[in-house]
Short mmCIF file of all heavy atoms in Angstrom, two decimals:
data_model
loop_
_atom_site.label_atom_id
_atom_site.label_comp_id
_atom_site.label_asym_id
_atom_site.label_seq_id
_atom_site.Cartn_x
_atom_site.Cartn_y
_atom_site.Cartn_z
N SER A 117 -8.78 -42.08 -3.43
CA SER A 117 -9.06 -42.17 -2.00
C SER A 117 -8.73 -40.87 -1.26
O SER A 117 -9.21 -40.64 -0.15
CB SER A 117 -8.28 -43.33 -1.39
OG SER A 117 -6.88 -43.13 -1.53
N PHE A 118 -7.90 -40.02 -1.89
CA PHE A 118 -7.54 -38.74 -1.28
C PHE A 118 -8.58 -37.65 -1.56
O PHE A 118 -8.50 -36.57 -0.97
CB PHE A 118 -6.17 -38.27 -1.80
CG PHE A 118 -5.02 -39.07 -1.28
CD1 PHE A 118 -4.62 -40.24 -1.92
CD2 PHE A 118 -4.32 -38.66 -0.14
CE1 PHE A 118 -3.55 -40.98 -1.44
CE2 PHE A 118 -3.26 -39.41 0.34
CZ PHE A 118 -2.87 -40.57 -0.31
N LEU A 119 -9.55 -37.96 -2.43
CA LEU A 119 -10.52 -36.96 -2.86
C LEU A 119 -11.93 -37.46 -2.56
O LEU A 119 -12.55 -38.14 -3.39
CB LEU A 119 -10.38 -36.69 -4.36
CG LEU A 119 -9.00 -36.24 -4.86
CD1 LEU A 119 -8.96 -36.22 -6.39
CD2 LEU A 119 -8.63 -34.87 -4.29
N PRO A 120 -12.47 -37.17 -1.39
CA PRO A 120 -13.82 -37.64 -1.05
C PRO A 120 -14.86 -37.09 -2.02
O PRO A 120 -14.95 -35.88 -2.22
CB PRO A 120 -14.03 -37.12 0.37
CG PRO A 120 -13.08 -35.98 0.52
CD PRO A 120 -11.89 -36.31 -0.33
N LYS A 121 -15.62 -37.97 -2.64
CA LYS A 121 -16.55 -37.57 -3.69
C LYS A 121 -17.62 -36.61 -3.19
O LYS A 121 -18.09 -35.74 -3.92
CB LYS A 121 -17.18 -38.81 -4.32
CG LYS A 121 -16.19 -39.70 -5.06
CD LYS A 121 -16.85 -40.93 -5.64
CE LYS A 121 -15.87 -41.76 -6.46
NZ LYS A 121 -14.76 -42.27 -5.65
N GLU A 122 -18.01 -36.76 -1.92
CA GLU A 122 -19.07 -35.90 -1.41
C GLU A 122 -18.59 -34.47 -1.17
O GLU A 122 -19.40 -33.55 -1.01
CB GLU A 122 -19.65 -36.48 -0.11
CG GLU A 122 -18.70 -36.51 1.07
CD GLU A 122 -17.83 -37.77 1.12
OE1 GLU A 122 -17.66 -38.41 0.06
OE2 GLU A 122 -17.33 -38.08 2.22
N HIS A 123 -17.28 -34.27 -1.15
CA HIS A 123 -16.73 -32.93 -0.88
C HIS A 123 -15.88 -32.39 -2.02
O HIS A 123 -15.26 -31.34 -1.88
CB HIS A 123 -15.87 -32.97 0.39
CG HIS A 123 -16.61 -33.35 1.62
ND1 HIS A 123 -17.73 -32.67 2.06
CD2 HIS A 123 -16.41 -34.37 2.51
CE1 HIS A 123 -18.18 -33.24 3.18
NE2 HIS A 123 -17.41 -34.26 3.48
N THR A 124 -15.82 -33.10 -3.16
CA THR A 124 -14.91 -32.74 -4.24
C THR A 124 -15.63 -32.61 -5.57
O THR A 124 -16.44 -33.48 -5.93
CB THR A 124 -13.78 -33.78 -4.38
OG1 THR A 124 -13.13 -33.97 -3.12
CG2 THR A 124 -12.76 -33.34 -5.42
N ILE A 125 -15.35 -31.54 -6.28
CA ILE A 125 -15.82 -31.34 -7.65
C ILE A 125 -14.59 -31.21 -8.54
O ILE A 125 -13.60 -30.56 -8.16
CB ILE A 125 -16.68 -30.07 -7.76
CG1 ILE A 125 -17.94 -30.20 -6.91
CG2 ILE A 125 -17.05 -29.77 -9.22
CD1 ILE A 125 -18.70 -28.90 -6.75
N LEU A 126 -14.61 -31.81 -9.71
CA LEU A 126 -13.48 -31.73 -10.64
C LEU A 126 -13.87 -30.90 -11.86
O LEU A 126 -14.92 -31.11 -12.45
CB LEU A 126 -13.03 -33.13 -11.07
CG LEU A 126 -12.49 -34.02 -9.94
CD1 LEU A 126 -12.07 -35.37 -10.48
CD2 LEU A 126 -11.31 -33.36 -9.23
N GLN A 127 -13.00 -29.96 -12.21
CA GLN A 127 -13.23 -29.08 -13.36
C GLN A 127 -12.37 -29.56 -14.51
O GLN A 127 -11.14 -29.68 -14.39
CB GLN A 127 -12.90 -27.64 -12.99
CG GLN A 127 -13.28 -26.64 -14.06
CD GLN A 127 -13.27 -25.21 -13.54
OE1 GLN A 127 -12.92 -24.96 -12.40
NE2 GLN A 127 -13.67 -24.27 -14.39
N THR A 128 -13.00 -29.85 -15.63
CA THR A 128 -12.30 -30.44 -16.77
C THR A 128 -11.97 -29.40 -17.83
O THR A 128 -12.77 -28.49 -18.08
CB THR A 128 -13.12 -31.58 -17.39
OG1 THR A 128 -12.44 -32.09 -18.54
CG2 THR A 128 -14.51 -31.12 -17.79
N TRP A 129 -10.78 -29.53 -18.43
CA TRP A 129 -10.38 -28.58 -19.48
C TRP A 129 -9.71 -29.27 -20.66
O TRP A 129 -9.49 -28.64 -21.70
CB TRP A 129 -9.45 -27.51 -18.92
CG TRP A 129 -8.14 -27.98 -18.33
CD1 TRP A 129 -7.95 -28.59 -17.12
CD2 TRP A 129 -6.84 -27.87 -18.92
NE1 TRP A 129 -6.62 -28.87 -16.92
CE2 TRP A 129 -5.91 -28.42 -18.01
CE3 TRP A 129 -6.38 -27.33 -20.12
CZ2 TRP A 129 -4.54 -28.48 -18.27
CZ3 TRP A 129 -5.01 -27.38 -20.38
CH2 TRP A 129 -4.11 -27.95 -19.46
N ASN A 130 -9.39 -30.55 -20.55
CA ASN A 130 -8.71 -31.28 -21.62
C ASN A 130 -9.62 -32.31 -22.28
O ASN A 130 -10.53 -32.85 -21.65
CB ASN A 130 -7.48 -32.01 -21.07
CG ASN A 130 -6.25 -31.15 -21.02
OD1 ASN A 130 -5.90 -30.48 -21.99
ND2 ASN A 130 -5.60 -31.12 -19.87
N ASN A 131 -9.34 -32.60 -23.56
CA ASN A 131 -9.93 -33.75 -24.26
C ASN A 131 -11.45 -33.74 -24.31
O ASN A 131 -12.09 -34.80 -24.36
CB ASN A 131 -9.44 -35.06 -23.64
CG ASN A 131 -7.94 -35.20 -23.70
OD1 ASN A 131 -7.32 -34.82 -24.69
ND2 ASN A 131 -7.35 -35.74 -22.64
N GLY A 132 -12.04 -32.57 -24.30
CA GLY A 132 -13.48 -32.46 -24.53
C GLY A 132 -14.32 -33.35 -23.64
O GLY A 132 -14.10 -33.47 -22.43
N THR A 133 -15.32 -34.00 -24.27
CA THR A 133 -16.25 -34.83 -23.50
C THR A 133 -15.60 -36.10 -22.97
O THR A 133 -16.15 -36.74 -22.07
CB THR A 133 -17.47 -35.20 -24.36
OG1 THR A 133 -17.03 -35.81 -25.58
CG2 THR A 133 -18.29 -33.96 -24.70
N ASN A 134 -14.45 -36.50 -23.52
CA ASN A 134 -13.79 -37.72 -23.03
C ASN A 134 -13.42 -37.60 -21.56
O ASN A 134 -13.66 -38.52 -20.76
CB ASN A 134 -12.55 -38.03 -23.87
CG ASN A 134 -12.88 -38.44 -25.28
OD1 ASN A 134 -13.93 -39.00 -25.54
ND2 ASN A 134 -12.00 -38.14 -26.22
N ASN A 135 -12.82 -36.48 -21.18
CA ASN A 135 -12.44 -36.31 -19.78
C ASN A 135 -13.64 -36.07 -18.88
O ASN A 135 -13.64 -36.46 -17.71
CB ASN A 135 -11.41 -35.19 -19.63
CG ASN A 135 -10.00 -35.65 -19.92
OD1 ASN A 135 -9.80 -36.75 -20.44
ND2 ASN A 135 -9.02 -34.83 -19.59
N THR A 136 -14.66 -35.42 -19.42
CA THR A 136 -15.89 -35.27 -18.63
C THR A 136 -16.43 -36.65 -18.27
O THR A 136 -16.82 -36.89 -17.12
CB THR A 136 -16.94 -34.49 -19.43
OG1 THR A 136 -16.41 -33.22 -19.82
CG2 THR A 136 -18.19 -34.27 -18.59
N LYS A 137 -16.43 -37.55 -19.23
CA LYS A 137 -16.94 -38.90 -18.98
C LYS A 137 -16.06 -39.63 -17.96
O LYS A 137 -16.58 -40.34 -17.08
CB LYS A 137 -17.03 -39.70 -20.28
CG LYS A 137 -17.74 -41.05 -20.12
CD LYS A 137 -18.07 -41.68 -21.44
CE LYS A 137 -18.86 -42.98 -21.27
NZ LYS A 137 -20.20 -42.76 -20.66
N ARG A 138 -14.75 -39.48 -18.05
CA ARG A 138 -13.86 -40.13 -17.08
C ARG A 138 -14.14 -39.65 -15.67
O ARG A 138 -14.10 -40.43 -14.71
CB ARG A 138 -12.40 -39.86 -17.44
CG ARG A 138 -11.93 -40.53 -18.72
CD ARG A 138 -10.51 -40.13 -19.07
NE ARG A 138 -9.55 -40.61 -18.07
CZ ARG A 138 -8.26 -40.26 -18.06
NH1 ARG A 138 -7.81 -39.40 -18.96
NH2 ARG A 138 -7.45 -40.75 -17.14
N ILE A 139 -14.44 -38.37 -15.52
CA ILE A 139 -14.70 -37.80 -14.20
C ILE A 139 -16.00 -38.33 -13.62
O ILE A 139 -16.05 -38.79 -12.47
CB ILE A 139 -14.73 -36.26 -14.29
CG1 ILE A 139 -13.32 -35.72 -14.53
CG2 ILE A 139 -15.33 -35.65 -13.02
CD1 ILE A 139 -13.29 -34.25 -14.88
N VAL A 140 -17.07 -38.30 -14.41
CA VAL A 140 -18.36 -38.74 -13.88
C VAL A 140 -18.41 -40.25 -13.72
O VAL A 140 -19.09 -40.76 -12.81
CB VAL A 140 -19.53 -38.22 -14.74
CG1 VAL A 140 -19.56 -36.69 -14.73
CG2 VAL A 140 -19.44 -38.73 -16.17
N GLU A 141 -17.70 -40.99 -14.57
CA GLU A 141 -17.62 -42.44 -14.39
C GLU A 141 -16.97 -42.79 -13.07
O GLU A 141 -17.30 -43.82 -12.46
CB GLU A 141 -16.84 -43.08 -15.55
CG GLU A 141 -17.65 -43.30 -16.81
CD GLU A 141 -16.86 -44.01 -17.89
OE1 GLU A 141 -15.61 -43.97 -17.85
OE2 GLU A 141 -17.49 -44.61 -18.78
N ALA A 142 -16.04 -41.93 -12.63
CA ALA A 142 -15.38 -42.15 -11.34
C ALA A 142 -16.25 -41.72 -10.17
O ALA A 142 -15.86 -41.91 -9.00
CB ALA A 142 -14.05 -41.41 -11.30
N GLY A 143 -17.42 -41.14 -10.46
CA GLY A 143 -18.35 -40.78 -9.41
C GLY A 143 -18.25 -39.35 -8.91
O GLY A 143 -18.88 -38.99 -7.91
N TYR A 144 -17.48 -38.52 -9.61
CA TYR A 144 -17.32 -37.13 -9.18
C TYR A 144 -18.26 -36.21 -9.95
O TYR A 144 -18.60 -36.46 -11.11
CB TYR A 144 -15.88 -36.66 -9.41
CG TYR A 144 -14.89 -37.30 -8.49
CD1 TYR A 144 -14.17 -38.43 -8.89
CD2 TYR A 144 -14.68 -36.81 -7.20
CE1 TYR A 144 -13.26 -39.04 -8.03
CE2 TYR A 144 -13.77 -37.40 -6.35
CZ TYR A 144 -13.06 -38.52 -6.76
OH TYR A 144 -12.17 -39.13 -5.91
N ARG A 145 -18.64 -35.12 -9.31
CA ARG A 145 -19.36 -34.06 -10.00
C ARG A 145 -18.36 -33.27 -10.86
O ARG A 145 -17.18 -33.19 -10.51
CB ARG A 145 -20.03 -33.13 -9.00
CG ARG A 145 -21.21 -33.77 -8.25
CD ARG A 145 -21.61 -32.96 -7.04
NE ARG A 145 -20.60 -33.06 -5.99
CZ ARG A 145 -20.60 -32.31 -4.89
NH1 ARG A 145 -21.54 -31.39 -4.71
NH2 ARG A 145 -19.65 -32.47 -3.98
N ALA A 146 -18.86 -32.71 -11.95
CA ALA A 146 -17.96 -32.06 -12.91
C ALA A 146 -18.44 -30.67 -13.27
O ALA A 146 -19.64 -30.41 -13.35
CB ALA A 146 -17.83 -32.91 -14.17
N ILE A 147 -17.47 -29.79 -13.48
CA ILE A 147 -17.69 -28.49 -14.12
C ILE A 147 -16.91 -28.52 -15.43
O ILE A 147 -15.73 -28.88 -15.44
CB ILE A 147 -17.20 -27.33 -13.24
CG1 ILE A 147 -18.00 -27.26 -11.94
CG2 ILE A 147 -17.29 -26.01 -14.00
CD1 ILE A 147 -17.44 -26.27 -10.93
N VAL A 148 -17.55 -28.17 -16.53
CA VAL A 148 -16.92 -28.29 -17.85
C VAL A 148 -16.36 -26.94 -18.29
O VAL A 148 -17.09 -25.95 -18.36
CB VAL A 148 -17.94 -28.81 -18.89
CG1 VAL A 148 -17.31 -28.82 -20.28
CG2 VAL A 148 -18.43 -30.20 -18.50
N SER A 149 -15.05 -26.93 -18.58
CA SER A 149 -14.39 -25.74 -19.14
C SER A 149 -13.48 -26.18 -20.28
O SER A 149 -12.31 -25.81 -20.33
CB SER A 149 -13.59 -25.01 -18.06
OG SER A 149 -14.43 -24.49 -17.07
N SER A 150 -14.00 -26.97 -21.18
CA SER A 150 -13.20 -27.56 -22.25
C SER A 150 -12.44 -26.49 -23.03
O SER A 150 -13.02 -25.55 -23.56
CB SER A 150 -14.10 -28.35 -23.20
OG SER A 150 -13.38 -28.77 -24.34
N SER A 151 -11.12 -26.68 -23.13
CA SER A 151 -10.30 -25.73 -23.89
C SER A 151 -10.62 -25.77 -25.38
O SER A 151 -10.31 -24.83 -26.11
CB SER A 151 -8.82 -26.02 -23.66
OG SER A 151 -8.49 -27.34 -24.05
N ASP A 152 -11.25 -26.85 -25.85
CA ASP A 152 -11.63 -26.94 -27.25
C ASP A 152 -12.84 -26.06 -27.58
O ASP A 152 -13.09 -25.78 -28.75
CB ASP A 152 -11.97 -28.39 -27.62
CG ASP A 152 -10.77 -29.31 -27.59
OD1 ASP A 152 -9.64 -28.80 -27.77
OD2 ASP A 152 -10.94 -30.52 -27.37
#
Side-chain angles (χ1 to χ4, degrees):
S117 61
F118 288 86
L119 304 171
K121 295 179 176 62
E122 67 273 21
H123 299 304
T124 306
I125 297 169
L126 296 180
Q127 188 166 3
T128 177
W129 61 284
N130 275 311
N131 300 322
T133 54
N134 292 331
N135 277 12
T136 304
K137 188 168 183 65
R138 292 175 66 188
I139 289 170
V140 297
E141 279 183 338
Y144 290 96
R145 291 165 289 171
I147 297 171
V148 175
S149 295
S150 172
S151 59
D152 292 334

